Amino acid sequence: MELFATPRTLAERRDDGSIVLESALPLEPHAASMAHLFRDAADAHPDRLLVADRDGRADADGGGWRRVTYGQARRMADGLAQALLDHGASGRPVMVLSGNSVEHLLLTLACYTAGSPVVPVSTAYSLLDADHVKLRDMAALTRPAVVFADDPGAYASALTAATALNGAGGTPLSGRDGFREWAATEPTAQVDEHFARVGPDTVAKILFTSGSTGRPKGVVNTHRMLCANQQMLRQTWPFLAEEPPVLLDWLPWSHTFGGNHNMGLAIANGGTLYVDDGKPGPPELAERTVRNLADVRPTVYFNVPAGYASLLPRLESDPEFARAFFSRMRYVFYAAAALPQQVWDGIAEVAASAGSSAPMTTSWGATETAPAATSAYFASGRSDCIGVPIPGVSVKLAPVGPKLEIRVKGPSVTPGYLDDPVRTREAFDDEGYYRTGDAVRPVDDDDPGKGLVFDGRISEDFKTSSGTWVSVGTLKSALLSACGGLVSDAVLTGHDTDRVGALVWLNPARTRTSTEAEVRAALGDALRRLNDGATGTSRRVVRLLVLDEQASLAHGEITDKGYVNQRAVLDRRAHLVKLLHTDPAPAEVVLPRRSRPPRPAR
């Protein structure tokens, strides 16, 4: 079975400058609900492993994994569904405060079965915000019937916050013991009756956007959205029909990438999902991911650019680990932010040296699009190409200022935001296309089949004092590539000034053995390489300031899936932006290094 389908793209160019792109491949029929997909998989292969996570103890085979098969999951999901109904969750939301785990997945399946929307909340709102302001807002909006947390100690105050404002008296469920009691509930005919009523328009999830500014928005996710999107992915990657995927994933289920795209891919295709207890960041967490990857040897792998930047040095330095990583790999996938070309090329080189033909690929989407809307299911060779529309999706490239905003329409697009008609109306244009706020441009204006290039968030772009627009997404990607892996992420500065600067975070995997002087010299060389040949101030970064403090989850500077919010960083670190642009440049600021003059001939 082929890895990728053959993409065919139809294009309509309009007089107003907009371009409408669609796949020539029609969307095939899809399941009525995720509950139907799960039950079908459990009936077909009850003994196949569905989910496993680390519990800190060695199990019978010494792997340290808690394992749940499809058949076991079906029995527990039905019991949990009955318990949820007994506690008033018929049609009412169930809030999950905990991170990824066996319990989290089983409770999600129970909600699907009972027709109760599941509301997975980022752990940052429970564990890093002592006042739980945003969590209280989410609870007030969703009014959950049940609120679950797997650790009653860590989540005690969050459980109180999430239930105190619920006038209907939501029930807290905490700890594994309580969870097991609910899962052991004997299901009655009521469970099957509720399952029979679950259909395409039933709300499956409420996913909250990061809420870095203003009140978080509750994105309504219906079963139609999720099932249509999984059918789109199956048509894009046809091998899934015959090769159930094996995933190892850390991406949080409170976000659409991990919770819809990846979890859904496993369930919809009868696959297996191992929960990774590591993630990009501190070395100890990165080492957990390395251990788990070598143990599981997944067939497909999903991560964000920061994850690959952390993983690449280990793959390059450890051929045995590289061979294990690629031993069963069909493709390597990134999303959520721009990936430097240097990292893309590095992963490809390691794959080749390990004897693997697994390509690197990506797609693009949003919480409101369930999420995939475009996919690079062809060999592009470039990290900024987000591909073409997948079957069933129509995208419109609409002129907004100097850029083209990508807008989306199709069965995988949200009907709107929970109890927020004003922002729902504002989110769609007069043709019903969802306004994403992301900019793209064609790889080739004459051939839409070559794909689209991500061109940054329109709201992040700014003007210099000369009135020239800075394309933040494009310039930031070029900066990260020029830094050759030394920098894990960056935020551009220079609004209404005569120069562009950057606040940067170093990549510990690349810099831990270097001195400060060596790092500064390398960064200065990177600025020189970036700026050589660049025309105009808007295409040059002339100053860098290395940040010692990591981006803060609690202050909205970064999401727990690793995406940096430029505006939140600039607002919180305004004093550092001012320092970066002070004249003359302070000693902390890195400037482009001058090329060494040629030695005179003797």
Side-chain angles (χ1 to χ4, degrees):
M1 177 67 70
E2 291 295 321
L3 180 64
F4 295 146
T6 302
R8 290 187 293 125
T9 304
L10 306 176
E12 174 195 353
R13 299 179 185 275
R14 297 179 171 179
D15 292 340
D16 63 358
S18 63
I19 306 170
V20 174
L21 302 176
E22 297 178 352
S23 172
L25 304 174
L27 180 64
E28 297 174 5
H30 52 80
S33 76
M34 293 300 296
H36 286 81
L37 283 170
F38 165 61
R39 284 196 166 189
D40 288 347
D43 290 342
H45 36 73
D47 296 327
R48 183 180 295 169
L49 181 63
L50 166 60
V51 62
D53 68 5
R54 296 277 190 186
D55 67 354
R57 299 184 301 272
D59 58 10
D61 65 6
W65 295 97
R66 290 191 303 158
R67 306 170 191 270
V68 177
T69 66
Y70 274 86
Q72 292 168 333
R74 167 68 192 275
R75 290 191 291 274
M76 286 188 280
D78 284 354
L80 288 165
Q82 182 65 57
L84 291 175
L85 295 173
D86 292 343
H87 286 84
S90 177
R92 290 184 57 196
V94 174
M95 181 173 280
V96 181
L97 304 184
S98 303
N100 301 2
S101 67
V102 165
E103 288 83 6
H104 190 157
L105 179 56
L106 292 174
L107 191 57
T108 298
L109 295 173
C111 290
Y112 289 165
T113 301
S116 300
V118 63
V119 187
V121 176
S122 170
T123 56
Y125 298 135
S126 296
L127 302 180
L128 299 180
D129 179 5
D131 296 326
H132 306 305
V133 174
K134 290 181 179 177
L135 177 59
R136 294 175 191 274
D137 286 343
M138 295 173 185
L141 180 62
T142 58
R143 297 171 58 84
V146 174
V147 182
F148 170 69
D150 58 8
D151 186 335
Y155 289 92
S157 62
L159 275 167
T160 300
T163 56
L165 296 181
N166 190 346
T171 302
L173 170 63
S174 62
R176 288 186 182 177
D177 290 341
F179 186 91
R180 280 192 291 266
E181 289 179 11
W182 282 38
T185 304
E186 187 66 29
T188 70
Q190 188 182 21
V191 171
D192 283 340
E193 290 169 1
H194 276 74
F195 167 75
R197 293 199 291 267
V198 176
D201 292 318
T202 304
V203 179
K205 285 184 179 180
I206 305 296
L207 285 179
F208 282 92
T209 55
S210 60
S212 57
T213 57
R215 181 167 57 89
K217 294 181 290 188
V219 183
V220 174
N221 281 232
T222 65
H223 281 279
R224 174 183 285 107
M225 290 172 61
L226 304 188
C227 293
N229 208 232
Q230 287 302 322
Q231 179 59 36
M232 294 169 185
L233 294 177
R234 180 179 282 207
Q235 288 181 232
T236 302
W237 302 320
F239 79 97
L240 291 171
E242 296 181 3
E243 300 177 30
V246 177
L247 282 68
L248 175 80
D249 194 34
W250 67 268
L251 289 155
W253 295 341
S254 54
H255 290 279
T256 189
F257 187 2
N260 284 348
H261 189 282
N262 300 353
M263 181 197 292
L265 195 77
I267 295 169
N269 296 284
T272 299
L273 177 57
Y274 287 85
V275 177
D276 183 10
D277 61 347
K279 63 186 298 185
E284 61 272 16
L285 290 180
E287 281 302 312
R288 291 183 194 176
T289 291
V290 169
R291 173 198 61 175
N292 292 336
L293 284 168
D295 191 4
V296 173
R297 305 190 180 205
T299 61
V300 293
Y301 188 59
F302 301 100
N303 213 326
V304 296
Y308 286 112
S310 174
L311 190 62
L312 179 56
R314 184 59 182 268
L315 287 168
E316 291 174 330
S317 64
D318 188 341
E320 183 178 352
F321 170 57
R323 286 191 294 270
F325 178 79
F326 283 106
S327 61
R328 299 197 295 170
M329 194 69 67
R330 294 291 259 144
Y331 62 78
V332 181
F333 179 105
Y334 86 90
L339 181 79
Q341 186 67 41
Q342 175 267 341
V343 177
W344 172 291
D345 293 338
I347 295 290
E349 290 170 5
V350 172
S353 66
S356 173
S357 59
M360 191 158 208
T361 187
T362 187
S363 72
W364 170 90
T367 306
E368 290 84 351
T369 63
T374 72
S375 179
Y377 55 114
F378 52 84
S380 71
R382 49 189 297 171
S383 65
D384 57 354
C385 178
I386 61 172
V388 294
I390 55 180
V393 169
S394 173
V395 303
K396 178 166 65 173
L397 313 185
V400 176
K403 292 198 169 185
L404 293 173
E405 180 188 23
I406 182 169
R407 302 177 181 178
V408 186
K409 185 163 64 173
S412 54
V413 175
T414 181
Y417 302 109
L418 182 65
D419 293 339
D420 199 336
V422 173
R423 288 203 279 190
T424 295
R425 284 194 301 271
E426 293 172 348
F428 295 89
D429 69 13
D430 56 3
E431 290 186 288
Y433 282 88
Y434 167 66
R435 305 174 187 264
T436 69
D438 283 350
V440 299
R441 64 181 189 275
V443 170
D444 184 337
D445 288 333
D446 297 323
D447 185 359
K450 291 184 179 178
L452 302 171
V453 172
F454 182 69
D455 204 18
R457 292 286 297 170
I458 292 174
S459 62
E460 291 181 347
D461 291 351
F462 60 88
K463 286 183 178 181
T464 63
S465 56
S466 66
T468 304
W469 280 99
V470 175
S471 178
V472 169
T474 302
L475 187 54
K476 177 174 135 178
S477 181
L479 171 63
L480 294 179
S481 291
C483 289
L486 289 174
V487 170
S488 61
D489 216 324
V491 169
L492 298 190
T493 66
H495 300 65
D496 298 323
T497 72
D498 61 355
R499 63 173 74 99
V500 178
L503 304 175
V504 304
W505 289 275
L506 298 178
N507 180 0
R510 292 290 192 193
T511 60
R512 66 166 59 100
T513 61
S514 302
T515 66
E516 180 181 355
E518 289 171 337
V519 171
R520 287 178 61 87
L523 292 175
D525 288 337
L527 286 182
R528 187 189 70 246
R529 288 192 299 270
L530 173 70
N531 297 332
D532 280 350
T535 57
T537 58
S538 65
R539 298 184 180 184
R540 295 191 182 100
V541 178
V542 297
R543 294 186 174 195
L544 292 181
L545 184 63
V546 176
L547 299 176
D548 295 325
E549 181 194 4
Q550 292 300 308
S552 169
L553 273 168
H555 292 91
E557 291 185 317
I558 192 170
T559 69
D560 46 6
K561 69 176 185 293
Y563 182 82
V564 171
N565 184 302
Q566 169 141 326
R567 175 47 52 193
V569 173
L570 293 176
D571 289 345
R572 182 167 179 260
R573 307 186 192 226
H575 62 294
L576 296 179
V577 175
K578 182 178 180 180
L579 177 68
L580 178 60
H581 288 272
T582 298
D583 286 322
E588 302 97 312
V589 173
V590 178
L591 301 174
R593 290 230 299 176
R594 295 179 180 178
S595 300
R596 293 179 180 177
R599 292 181 179 179
R602 292 184 177 180

